[in-house]
Amino acid sequence: MNKFLFKHIDNSSLIVFRILFGALIFLESIGAIVTGWIRRTLVEPEFTFNFIGFDFLQAIQGDWMYAHYIIMGICGIFVMVGYKYRISMLSFTLLWAVTYLMQKSSYNNHYYFLMILSAVMVILPAHKYASIDVKQNPSIKRMSMSNWCRWVFIIQLFILYTYASIAKMYPDWLDLTVPELLMKSKQHYFLVGNVLQQKFMLYLVAYGGILFDLLVIPLLLWKRTRKVAFFISLFFHLFNSFIFQVGIFPYLSLAFAVFFFEPQFIQRLFLKRKTLFSEEKIEIPSHARVFKTVFVLYFIVQIALPVRHCVIQDDVLWTEEGHRLSWRMMLRVKSATTSFRVVDKVTHLETRIKLEDYLTKKQIRSMSSKPDMMWQFAQRLKSVYAKNGMAVEVYVKAYVGVNGGPKKQLINPNVDLASVKWNPFKHHDWILPSNLD
């Protein structure tokens, strides 16, 4: 294992990836401002549905978030040019983690991926060539890196894509129900809208998606199929970028290709002045045992998280328990009708809540089918009324349809959500059984 992890290889791929990564996180940060995403998601809402347990992050929402994202954009530029790399990368990681954990109404697996990827980038020696750091301190210049610096990306991508493929292997995806619903919302697209509705395109999306996710990493690793796999990846990710507008993720996915091609090819293509490293060298650090333990534990967690829903009662498509952090991407379409009522514990007077008075339209859509967000909103209402000197109970009526199916009652309407506790590790019995076929 020492030889596999600590053998030195040419570091051209990591250097090029750092430059691309820095540029992409800069574009992600500034794009969030330009497109109005920050205004809609983090400024206008009174409450942002933080991850449960991170309520303290509510204190920094609002106009401050513009400065937050500008700083992230600056960090991206610094990462790209390799200036104060460790500090810049760590700063971006922490700032991105804050914005990720403080809101769930715009939850995206890609945002989670960017958070853990950024954390990994902090410890990588990605600034040891073609960087301002090297110009200021030539002694840190290196032409090589340990082999684990490459494989940490490959293993992570293999886990991500494999789980994404497995998650699609369920009836509503295989019989084209979900792809048809996804494409139906794109029928207004110029030129391609009608094409996206055709049966052959639905089959391509459904089964092509499964095969691509399952095979792309092995095919990129095999030299004979590498170029073909890359061009298929190019089409796949550009298609996703155009059709689904998923930010920088398609381009980030393409950037990972540098870790699959031969170092000579990457060096000739991007770093012609760089000396190609070709020595036989193994450097086992003094902390090798600790590193190997952390390395293995990290990937055990990455393998375990996406299957935790298997030990939680009922179907994750219905309960959403175990959905996040699991690479379950664009797998279902839900419709929902949800209402809240507040009952004064003293007078027993009942008040119907007008959701628009508390939440944005996007938040209402997201919350209406997700039990954890309903629970959070119940806690929010309890807090708002408490400030006015009232102790209240909060009840929910929620009817949810999954993948075009009939709407069924999701929440027990007789349970006061303001008084129950949330446990992230088990099923909540106030979520009614799914009876999904």
Side-chain angles (χ1 to χ4, degrees):
M1 189 173 184
N2 281 342
K3 183 177 180 180
F4 172 75
L5 291 175
F6 304 119
K7 175 186 176 182
H8 271 238
I9 60 173
D10 185 84
N11 64 355
S12 296
S13 57
L14 182 59
I15 304 305
V16 173
F17 183 77
R18 183 207 81 222
I19 296 169
L20 296 173
F21 184 69
L24 288 171
I25 60 177
F26 165 76
L27 292 173
E28 177 73 24
S29 303
I30 302 306
I33 298 174
V34 174
T35 61
W37 185 88
I38 292 178
R39 174 178 52 78
R40 295 189 303 270
T41 309
L42 299 171
V43 175
E44 290 180 349
E46 295 180 6
F47 175 70
T48 63
F49 287 102
N50 55 269
F51 275 68
I52 295 172
F54 291 88
D55 301 59
F56 61 90
L57 295 177
Q58 293 294 319
I60 62 172
Q61 70 177 92
D63 290 336
W64 148 253
M65 296 309 300
Y66 289 113
H68 186 99
Y69 269 73
I70 289 171
I71 295 171
M72 286 202 301
I74 293 171
C75 289
I77 293 175
F78 284 179
V79 168
M80 181 174 63
V81 300
Y83 177 67
K84 304 291 183 184
Y85 171 75
R86 300 279 190 202
I87 295 173
S88 300
M89 195 66 253
L90 178 61
S91 298
F92 176 84
T93 302
L94 295 174
L95 291 169
W96 183 261
V98 165
T99 193
Y100 172 77
L101 295 170
M102 75 183 297
Q103 64 81 29
K104 289 188 293 189
S105 55
S106 288
Y107 176 82
N108 191 316
N109 272 287
H110 306 153
Y111 297 164
Y112 165 56
F113 181 53
L114 184 54
M115 183 175 69
I116 60 175
L117 174 60
S118 298
V120 169
M121 286 292 288
V122 172
I123 64 172
L124 292 174
H127 61 309
K128 298 298 179 83
Y129 187 84
S131 69
I132 293 177
D133 286 350
V134 166
K135 287 187 177 181
Q136 293 182 336
N137 183 10
S139 66
I140 69 169
K141 186 175 182 179
R142 298 289 184 275
M143 299 296 172
S144 67
M145 63 183 181
S146 295
N147 196 34
W148 70 264
C149 297
R150 171 179 179 247
W151 279 93
V152 70
F153 293 109
I154 294 174
I155 297 171
Q156 181 68 71
L157 289 170
F158 181 73
I159 292 170
L160 185 160
Y161 280 114
T162 300
Y163 276 125
S165 178
I166 293 171
K168 293 181 178 72
M169 298 177 188
Y170 80 102
D172 283 355
W173 185 273
L174 298 175
D175 68 8
L176 307 186
T177 297
V178 176
E180 185 173 3
L181 289 169
L182 291 174
M183 292 302 111
K184 198 169 186 178
S185 64
K186 315 295 179 184
Q187 58 187 338
H188 63 284
Y189 280 21
F190 180 65
L191 292 179
V192 301
N194 289 331
V195 177
L196 295 174
Q197 314 309 312
Q198 302 304 310
K199 208 74 171 177
F200 79 90
M201 182 57 71
L202 299 180
Y203 274 107
L204 182 63
V205 169
Y207 290 88
I210 290 174
L211 291 174
F212 177 85
D213 289 342
L214 192 63
L215 299 175
V216 63
I217 300 303
L219 292 178
L220 283 170
L221 284 170
W222 192 24
K223 189 173 182 179
R224 290 185 179 182
T225 55
R226 186 172 297 145
K227 289 182 180 179
V228 173
F230 174 74
F231 284 112
I232 293 174
S233 296
L234 187 64
F235 171 80
F236 178 86
H237 290 299
L238 292 180
F239 176 86
N240 281 345
S241 178
F242 175 68
I243 300 300
F244 298 111
Q245 290 91 49
V246 284
I248 66 169
F249 181 72
Y251 307 98
L252 183 59
S253 298
L254 291 172
F256 283 117
V258 297
F259 294 106
F260 294 91
F261 284 93
E262 298 295 331
Q264 298 93 321
F265 178 75
I266 301 301
Q267 182 261 342
R268 286 198 309 268
L269 193 61
F270 298 105
L271 300 169
K272 293 178 181 176
R273 295 183 181 181
K274 181 181 180 295
T275 301
L276 186 70
F277 180 85
S278 57
E279 300 175 24
E280 286 291 330
K281 180 181 177 182
I282 299 175
E283 279 188 2
I284 302 175
S286 58
H287 58 275
R289 182 173 296 180
V290 174
F291 174 84
K292 286 186 288 187
T293 301
V294 173
F295 189 86
V296 171
L297 286 176
Y298 171 77
F299 284 114
I300 288 175
V301 171
Q302 286 298 308
I303 292 169
L305 271 178
V307 295
R308 69 190 188 281
H309 67 87
C310 296
V311 297
I312 299 176
Q313 185 179 329
D314 214 333
D315 193 327
V316 63
L317 287 170
W318 177 252
T319 68
E320 298 282 327
E321 295 169 318
H323 173 81
R324 297 187 185 92
L325 320 184
S326 299
W327 316 124
R328 301 179 60 81
M329 296 176 274
M330 291 186 291
L331 287 175
R332 76 278 195 260
V333 177
K334 290 188 173 184
S335 57
T337 304
T338 301
S339 62
F340 282 72
R341 62 186 176 93
V342 169
V343 179
D344 189 318
K345 288 186 176 181
V346 177
T347 65
H348 302 295
L349 289 176
E350 181 178 303
T351 302
R352 298 282 175 175
I353 296 299
K354 188 177 180 181
L355 297 179
E356 292 80 2
D357 291 341
Y358 296 88
L359 305 172
T360 65
K361 290 182 179 179
K362 184 174 186 178
Q363 287 180 315
I364 294 172
R365 286 196 302 271
S366 184
M367 180 270 294
S368 293
S369 62
K370 297 177 175 62
D372 66 319
M373 293 177 71
M374 294 179 195
W375 179 86
Q376 280 182 282
F377 186 54
Q379 305 306 307
R380 173 70 174 172
L381 290 172
K382 178 182 178 181
S383 175
V384 169
Y385 275 85
K387 289 178 181 178
N388 296 322
M390 295 174 59
V392 298
E393 299 171 346
V394 182
Y395 299 94
V396 182
K397 276 190 177 181
Y399 295 87
V400 176
V402 180
N403 297 336
K407 289 182 180 179
K408 301 176 183 177
Q409 196 158 25
L410 176 65
I411 305 296
N412 186 334
N414 300 314
V415 173
D416 169 22
L417 291 194
S419 65
V420 297
K421 301 295 183 182
W422 180 265
N423 188 323
F425 303 107
K426 70 173 188 178
H427 174 66
H428 299 84
D429 56 13
W430 44 266
I431 303 176
L432 297 175
S434 64
N435 298 319
L436 293 178
D437 293 332

